[in-house]
Amino acid sequence: MHDHRATVESVFRQESGRIIAGLIRVSRSFDLAEEAMQDAFAAAVINWQADGVPANPAAWITATARRKLIDYARREQTRRNNEGQILYEYESRSCTIDEEMSRPFEDDRLSLIFTCCHPAINKQAQVALTLRTLGGLTTAEIARAFLLPEPTLAQRLVRAQRKIQQARIPYQVPDAGALPERLSAVQAVLYLVFNEGYSATSGDSLLRRELCAEAIRLARTLLELMPQNPENMALLGLMLLHDSRRDARSTADGQLLTLEEQDRSLWHQEQIAEGIALVERALGRRNFGPYQMQAAIAAVHAEARTAQETDWKQIAGLYVMLDRCQPSPVVSLNMAVAVAMSEGLDQGLAMIDSLGAGGELDSYHLYHAARADLLRRMGRNREALKNYQRGLALTTNAVELRYLRRRIAELAPSTATDSQDS
Amino acid sequence: MRYMMLIYSQENEAVTPEDMQAVAAAHGALMDETRRRGILSGADPLQASSTATVLRVQDGEALITDGPYAETKEQLAGYYILDCKDLDEALAWAAKIPTACAGMAGCVEIRPIREFPQRALVNA
């Protein structure tokens, strides 16, 4: 006999976000919506085995979950009656559930995403809640991906859901006044999910890859829900362009490779094509934002068939624009690197030095690492080594530690014969 | 649903009467506006935390100490209770509450008031 578990799982994967968003809207409760959906999927495993998979599995799940919600409402009613509390007209409420559920609920996922990423919820809980409800990941999966004990994560989720309910965090798309700020909070959560999967090398690598795929899926959903927003286009584009390099960016033993060192034939061209198309569409709106600039930079890198062909001049220009809309030390340092690669190493180094002149960057490992990289390219190996070592002392990130150690190991023997630096 | 908005401000003894007046006028305007809309359920300023007394009853015995509950840089300076449809509305009103005393901005903590009986469909 064919096991329908796989079918149920694939329906869950595809549709759970949409289904739960509608259930939360009508029940006004994350807990109940989740319970109802889980019960419905459990019922599906049994029923579909016996009766075959229905023509529209998602509708079957929704209808079953809706009946569960009505059951819960009745159960609650009975409990309240038994406790002698005020009577509620559960019949009329059940009717409302039916009516509301049959309304088209295209926008529910959008409301849900804004609820999950509400700034009144702490950031880590926003991420977990988004993955749990819209991504359909289990608490165990999220805990493993973020290297957290499962009870810790479970508690975080419970606390956040309770706050949504008790502080009445609205389940709606924010009004026009609050929308730009709140949308960027949503984008930040999705990008954080992506980066969590992309930048760390510790933990379960399969799950990390899954996290990137999930972030891309959610970014796709966000764009589908707000298709005119150029930053939504760029966010998806940016993720695709980064993800296209997933097979090229590290060695078999987990050593991270720079763009320059990567085998570009391993880059996934389909994702690059989609990413570039998204970037072009976004920039065509002439309403620039930080994701567009970052995605455009990634696109310029992706277009270069070899590292030498990279259009660094264009990248430098894009960093100038990024620096204008989202200034940060990382952006400034990258801008200096792009200038070094396009205008000349001396100019780039001069720029880095002027950035560091104030002394604020002294404790920032990337400042020393960027300076070291330029010095290495200039052949000033002894100075480069010193800067790599300073960077090494300041970083705790495992990936960066390995990169800096590798550079130091490469330079250590050559510095003995380095004459430029005295 | 009613939200209590707790205003935390720095206590500046050097505050000028003009500054005090400006802050008081801003509160007056906000109270008028929320009253007009029928959502003001209460609002009061408090005397300085140096006037606070803490009482703790332990084993039937009252332990009285001088000072506020916690010695923090920003102290509870007043409150509003407003009836809002959700947290977003509460946040929008809270943003209008003046918290500054002589240019030193404070903050507002927004806490939903626990209503009895719970009128929600579920989740008792």
Side-chain angles (χ1 to χ4, degrees), chain A residues 194-229:
Chain A
F194 182 83
N195 276 322
E196 191 60 33
Y198 194 71
S199 36
T201 53
S202 53
D204 186 332
S205 67
L206 206 68
L207 254 173
R208 296 205 164 272
R209 186 154 285 194
E210 186 63 25
L211 223 45
C212 288
E214 194 52 55
I216 289 172
R217 210 166 66 91
L218 289 169
R220 225 180 259 290
T221 304
L222 184 64
L223 178 59
E224 194 186 300
L225 294 166
M226 302 180 83
Q228 305 303 323
N229 185 287

Side-chain angles (χ1 to χ4, degrees), chain B residues 45-120:
Chain B
L46 302 177
Q47 296 283 8
S49 64
S50 56
T51 65
T53 308
V54 175
L55 168 79
R56 190 183 294 271
V57 178
Q58 232 160 18
D59 305 324
E61 227 163 302
L63 196 70
I64 298 166
T65 47
D66 171 42
Y69 172 66
E71 294 282 356
T72 48
K73 204 172 75 180
E74 288 165 336
Q75 285 289 338
L76 185 62
Y79 73 94
Y80 280 74
I81 295 176
L82 299 178
D83 201 347
C84 304
K85 80 174 195 308
D86 56 33
L87 185 64
D88 278 358
E89 194 192 337
L91 285 166
W93 283 112
K96 296 184 179 179
I97 297 177
T99 61
C101 227
M104 291 186 287
C107 64
V108 180
E109 179 175 330
I110 298 143
R111 297 276 291 267
I113 287 177
R114 201 165 160 184
E115 310 275 8
F116 289 99
Q118 290 224 335
R119 297 197 58 88

Side-chain angles (χ1 to χ4, degrees), chain A residues 88-252:
Chain A
Y88 290 98
E89 292 170 20
Y90 76 85
E91 285 303 342
S92 71
R93 182 67 204 183
S94 309
C95 264
T96 321
I97 289 179
D98 262 330
E99 280 160 23
E100 283 190 24
M101 205 69 209
S102 57
R103 249 172 43 194
F105 51 95
E106 264 86 338
D107 289 343
D108 287 346
R109 279 179 305 166
L110 193 57
S111 306
L112 183 56
I113 211 169
F114 278 107
T115 307
C116 291
C117 301
H118 196 286
I121 302 169
N122 105 8
K123 199 63 157 188
Q124 291 160 317
Q126 289 178 29
V127 170
L129 212 51
T130 304
L131 288 172
R132 183 88 176 81
T133 56
L134 283 148
L137 267 65
T138 65
T139 306
E141 283 171 331
I142 302 168
R144 243 180 301 147
F146 287 89
L147 306 173
L148 286 169
E150 198 182 329
T152 308
L153 187 87
Q155 197 187 20
R156 205 173 274 172
L157 280 165
V158 167
R159 211 174 285 154
Q161 290 175 1
R162 201 175 294 154
K163 182 166 185 186
I164 289 172
Q165 213 122 39
Q166 294 179 344
R168 210 175 278 177
I169 291 175
Y171 188 66
Q172 70 194 20
V173 179
D175 59 37
L179 189 61
E181 206 188 321
R182 297 280 308 281
L183 179 59
S184 59
V186 170
Q187 290 160 343
V189 164
L190 301 194
Y191 197 39
L192 206 137
V193 171
F194 182 83
N195 276 322
E196 191 60 33
Y198 194 71
S199 36
T201 53
S202 53
D204 186 332
S205 67
L206 206 68
L207 254 173
R208 296 205 164 272
R209 186 154 285 194
E210 186 63 25
L211 223 45
C212 288
E214 194 52 55
I216 289 172
R217 210 166 66 91
L218 289 169
R220 225 180 259 290
T221 304
L222 184 64
L223 178 59
E224 194 186 300
L225 294 166
M226 302 180 83
Q228 305 303 323
N229 185 287
E231 285 288 272
N232 285 346
M233 298 173 198
L235 178 61
L236 176 59
L238 178 61
M239 288 181 187
L240 289 168
L241 288 165
H242 280 319
D243 197 49
S244 73
R245 306 198 286 256
R246 64 181 178 273
D247 292 331
R249 58 196 288 272
S250 56
T251 58

Side-chain angles (χ1 to χ4, degrees), chain A residues 322-335:
Chain A
L322 180 59
D323 192 47
R324 232 174 267 158
C325 54
Q326 202 177 59
S328 81
V330 187
V331 173
S332 306
L333 288 171
N334 277 314
M335 188 162 68

